[in-house]
Amino acid sequence: MRIHILIYLFGVLFYACNETGYVTISHAYPPIYPDYIDVTIPANIAPLNFLMRDSVEKLLVTIEGEKESIRVKGKNKVQVPLKKWKALLASRPEQTLTVTVLVKKKGEWIQYKPFNWHVTPDSIDPFLSYRLIEPGYEVWNSIQLVERHLETFDERVLADNNLTGGSCMNCHIYGNQDAALSMFHIRGEHGGTIVNRNGKLEKINTRTKDMISNAVYGNFHPTGRYGVFSTNVVIPELHTYGSKRLEVYDSAADLVVLNFDTREVISQPFLSDSTSYESFPVFSACGKWIYYCSAGYVPLPDSIRSLKYHICRTSFDPKNGTIGASADTLWNAREMNGSVSHLKTSPNGKYLLYTVADYGTFPIWHREADLQLMDLETGEMDKLEAVNDTCSDSYHSWSSNSRWFVFASKRDDGIYGKPYFAYLDSTGKAHKPFALPQLDQEYYDNTLKSFNIPELSKGQVPYDARDIEQIYWKPEALPVRYTESEPKLVE
Amino acid sequence: MTKNNLLSRILKTDQLLTFAFGLVVYLFFSLGYAYHLHYQEQFQLFLFTTDYLAQYVGYPGGISDYLGNFITQFYFYSSIGAILLAIMLTLLQRMVWSVAQKLGTATYWIPLSFVPPVLYWSLLCDESYLAGGLVAILSVSAFIRTYLAVKNPRNRIIFTLLSVPALYWLAGGAFLLLPLFVLTREMMSKMMKPLAFSIFSAFLIGLSIVLPYLTKQFLVQFPFTKLLIGATYYRYPVVIPYSVAIVGLLIVFLPFLSKLLSSKLQPQRPAFWLAVQLLFLVSGSYFLLSKTADLNKEEVMEYDFHARTRRWGRILEKADRQAPTSPLSVTCLNLALAKQDLLGERMFHYYQNGIGGLLPDFTRDFTIPTILGEVYYHLGFINTAQRLAFEAMEALPDYQKSARSVMRLAETNLINGNYELAGKYLRLLQKTFYYRKWATNTLQATKKETLIEEHPEWGLLRKMRTQEDFLFSEGEKEMMLGTVFMQNQENKMAFEYLMACCLLKKDLQHFMEYYPVEKALNYRVVPKSYQEALIYVWGLSHNDPTQSIPYPISNSVKMRVKNYANIYTTRQNPEQLLRNDYSDTYWYYLHFRN
């Protein structure tokens, strides 16, 4: 059977060379989904399977490397065999793969313009966790935290709200992209912040009476000893016009640091008063700074379009666990005419990656929201034009080598986010991103789930949904104690 | 007629009885309870994809759920749904009867075999009982019947031991009925030696206990109760379906009971005995179904179905026969009146229960947002309709998707010009049986905008929808209706809803403020309820409101207000006196409805 197909394929190609009337040569790229035309990929990624968006009767795809090649056939989609794909990528650590797509459409063979996959030896962290949730409004149904092995198509459920009384689950984040250091929040009656330190799970009640809410957006200190969090009183409002959907804003937002060893929560008066809203705090790679977003008070929701967040920075002393008494503004929202959210410092300490929207603090429902990169050494900003699209691009995370970042993009349809991976080369140039490959790319058409908060890690987290079920139903969460930090500026 | 002849006639009547039972079930669901079937169909999205199948085969009882959903998709046409339900319930009866016969039950005990299907029928009157549960029960019955067909004792043991895990996967926790039946049967028949029976029993019980625990080790994402119960008998997973357990136990023990009765009671007149049982069966079934069938819900579902399918005339015809009283039915009726340009004219001809019957508040439910979404959709609140479709789908407690909601999401995105997203929903609907054609045709509109502009509904709604952004505020419905109307003064429905809001809230001050806008809408005649409100307000400050009133009030309204005022002001118990002749007026609503 396979021999017959090869003979047929050769016959088709032979006629393509000799009788152009038999195979039409198209000068357009094939309408494939996802858009994998001329993308840069790591050498350890799973095969980039794709499907044709227009109706075709047959599909023949050749992936040609510098040493080896693969031919795959399908009806309207291709699934590249994993073994052959790995062998092809292993044949040379850095190479350009040329992909030729030949289709039979209404009885006629068409060969589209070939495109390239640039394989870089800079590998990506092999595990990705994300939250699968329907991009709803107020009501949620099934929520899962899932871990995907990027080198294959294996998926594992880390937490499932089916097992935790239907309660909401938030961002699963790592410290130093290390699977032995991670956390996420579970809400609900038995909820708390689940902290994984070397596989030991703790459920912490991050709220004290001095705080406006539980911990919300957070980040680990490089030592793993501290976490920096915003506490937010979140209000959702509904837009009535066009493609606008939800406007989520904070009616109050403060910033705290939690010491996981002593379970002490500290803050500073200027980070916990009602004159400004603080959100999305992160530690610098060296651990001596806290970057965060801050906006001055405006009456909400009436002045929602005036709610614009700056990027600020304050010092942090990891020895004493104290926060500085003042802050610098690195990105002025008024001058830049935008609003920043989701700060992420690169593991090598060189970059700060963030999202810029026209206004507000919830960019996933702002179509104009784009990623931006700041060089922390020079202060230069890159609008990442090769990376961004017309729909919301946000919720990003770095690979441990600082050469890759993943982000949730709604570019396909405006509301269903999918993980996209972008490469940042040694010169700091960002390349066109590609979507998380699936075994069957029709999965993206069939699912009504959105991929939230994709986070890369170097390994598998040491727990699964059963462990989370057990800890969730334990009656008590560990309490924390609130103290205000002594004003102290770190050199 | 000799006793033997009579018995042979009865023998033939067992099939006749089954057929009659099936026919009654069919008539019940196709004529009396059809809208329950439509209601169930809309809250699932059966896809012919491997992903969808994989989602169900991955847990115990999932295959029953999958088959149940497969059957439920045919409820799209209630008559087909009724046929399928009739077939399933008659199959259950035949299965029970066949088992009973195999155990040696005398023919005149056949009415007992109707008890389990009748009980399940009564359960199905509750819209939250799903077809997957019946499939699970049928599967267990089929395994029990097959077990009895195996003659060799050793083969029976092998069959049972292999069937238990298979049945667990197919039907979920209902598999326990098989070992229960097998052990009862083997114990009563005494065909096995005591030691063999003890070992077999211990092994079978052990296997039955171990299976769910073993499954939990591999299927970590399912709660243990789900792995114990398996198939989705009831839409709400927190509800443990004890009633189904009773039916299940009857399936196991009724054949033994009927066999016992056959051996203990051998009546002289079997026909009479049969007739007595049938009488009990029919009267009992009638009593049970009259208690479980909820005709009030059926009414709401009927109104909603007509609203969903835009059969506004059918809604009005139904309301003319009997005015609805439940808020959701009234919501559909008011929508139909508005779509027929009759809201201002005739809304008080029917029972009105305040703002809750016009624009109910959002609840975290799947029924109210679905119906409410229809109203907002036709009013031009496209984003709100979209949100409500989404919320309704998310609120489904059995984690299913809703074909109706996905259709609405496709429509709202087409109207808003989000063609990629509309395409996603339409491609999904292309993988269904009944919505495929609609989705394929509608997909054309994502590529050719004129098809939307020229569409009688989408084109109109694209013009009528909100033109500028504002934040939705449930507590300020009048403000939102006013804003939408001011953005597009051709949106007559928004104006009529605004006026209806004022009238229903008895807020005549705002009614009078908004009334002048009515002129811009070029009504040929001022709607009757507006006339009634105008003359009432005028009457508050004038002795004879019919004289010198500056609004165009018809002579009939003038005459009626005089008579109404006369009764209202002079009689002791005016409500009763006014109810017959004036309950169709705004005045009556104003004075006597809360």
Side-chain angles (χ1 to χ4, degrees), chain A residues 53 134-142 144 157 160 162-163 237-245 247 301 305 367 412-413 415-416 442-448 464-466 469, chain B residues 49 51 216-218 220-224 362 364 381 383-384 386-387 390-391 393-396 399 401 406 416 418 420-421 424-425 427-428 431 465-472:
Chain A
R53 264 291 175 240
E134 304 221 3
Y137 295 78
E138 283 181 53
V139 185
W140 69 83
N141 193 318
S142 147
Q144 286 183 325
V157 180
D160 192 323
N162 201 11
L163 301 170
E237 298 271 6
L238 305 151
H239 285 286
T240 51
Y241 177 67
S243 301
K244 287 176 179 276
R245 198 173 159 91
E247 193 62 61
R305 282 166 207 282
R367 285 195 169 226
D412 285 351
D413 48 49
I415 74 163
Y416 292 92
E442 216 175 344
Y443 168 80
Y444 285 134
D445 278 347
N446 293 341
T447 186
L448 290 175
D464 64 18
R466 194 175 15 219
E469 180 185 18
Chain B
T49 65
D51 280 350
K216 178 68 182 165
Q217 299 305 309
F218 297 102
V220 291
Q221 73 270 37
F222 289 99
F224 192 61
F362 167 73
R364 288 170 168 249
F381 285 81
N383 280 16
T384 307
Q386 180 170 292
R387 176 216 166 190
F390 222 106
E391 304 281 38
M393 193 152 68
E394 281 293 274
L396 283 168
Y399 300 111
K401 299 297 144 214
V406 174
N416 275 341
N418 299 326
E420 282 296 333
L421 189 52
K424 179 182 174 75
Y425 295 126
R427 279 193 292 276
L428 208 57
K431 287 157 191 157
R465 71 186 167 142
T466 48
Q467 304 294 320
E468 285 168 33
D469 190 35
F470 59 88
L471 295 176
F472 183 85

Side-chain angles (χ1 to χ4, degrees), chain B residues 164-185:
Chain B
V164 162
L167 192 56
Y168 175 53
W169 212 257
L170 178 67
F175 83 98
L176 283 171
L177 298 172
L178 177 67
L180 197 60
F181 182 88
V182 169
L183 292 180
T184 313
R185 157 83 169 142

Side-chain angles (χ1 to χ4, degrees), chain A residues 228 255 257 268 270-271 277-295 309-317 322-333 340 343 345 349-352 354 374-379 488-491:
Chain A
V228 61
L255 194 151
V257 169
Q268 276 285 17
F270 80 98
L271 295 172
Y277 309 101
E278 289 79 21
S279 204
F280 305 113
V282 287
F283 286 108
S284 62
C286 65
K288 291 181 179 173
W289 300 98
I290 294 170
Y291 294 94
Y292 64 97
C293 299
S294 176
Y309 282 77
H310 315 285
I311 301 178
C312 296
R313 184 177 75 165
T314 187
S315 55
F316 180 72
D317 177 0
T322 50
I323 307 170
S326 62
D328 304 325
T329 301
L330 303 189
W331 194 97
N332 189 304
V340 170
L343 308 179
T345 46
K350 195 176 177 196
Y351 299 109
L352 182 65
Y354 49 92
M374 184 188 287
D375 186 325
L376 290 171
E377 290 162 7
T378 63
K488 187 177 176 184
L489 190 63
V490 179
E491 292 299 318

Side-chain angles (χ1 to χ4, degrees), chain A residues 113-129:
Chain A
K113 186 177 172 182
F115 56 91
N116 296 326
W117 290 339
H118 308 285
V119 184
T120 159
D122 292 323
S123 60
I124 192 165
D125 288 344
F127 290 92
L128 180 76
S129 73

Side-chain angles (χ1 to χ4, degrees), chain A residues 409-449:
Chain A
S409 178
K410 295 182 185 290
R411 63 190 59 196
D412 285 351
D413 48 49
I415 74 163
Y416 292 92
K418 296 172 190 76
Y420 274 75
F421 305 92
Y423 179 59
L424 204 63
D425 65 24
S426 55
T427 65
K429 185 188 158 207
H431 293 232
K432 181 182 170 182
F434 67 95
L436 172 68
Q438 298 291 347
L439 183 62
D440 180 354
Q441 293 293 6
E442 216 175 344
Y443 168 80
Y444 285 134
D445 278 347
N446 293 341
T447 186
L448 290 175
K449 301 278 183 200

Side-chain angles (χ1 to χ4, degrees), chain A residues 207-268:
Chain A
R207 186 172 187 180
T208 70
K209 61 180 176 45
D210 303 296
M211 293 160 67
I212 56 170
S213 76
N214 291 78
V216 182
Y217 303 106
N219 177 251
F220 278 104
H221 190 267
T223 60
R225 192 176 166 204
Y226 302 102
V228 61
F229 296 96
S230 60
T231 53
N232 312 60
V233 179
V234 180
I235 309 283
E237 298 271 6
L238 305 151
H239 285 286
T240 51
Y241 177 67
S243 301
K244 287 176 179 276
R245 198 173 159 91
L246 265 177
E247 193 62 61
V248 181
Y249 59 86
D250 299 333
S251 62
D254 295 335
L255 194 151
V256 296
V257 169
L258 167 63
N259 183 327
F260 291 115
D261 291 340
T262 61
R263 290 202 300 280
E264 247 183 328
V265 175
I266 54 164
S267 187
Q268 276 285 17

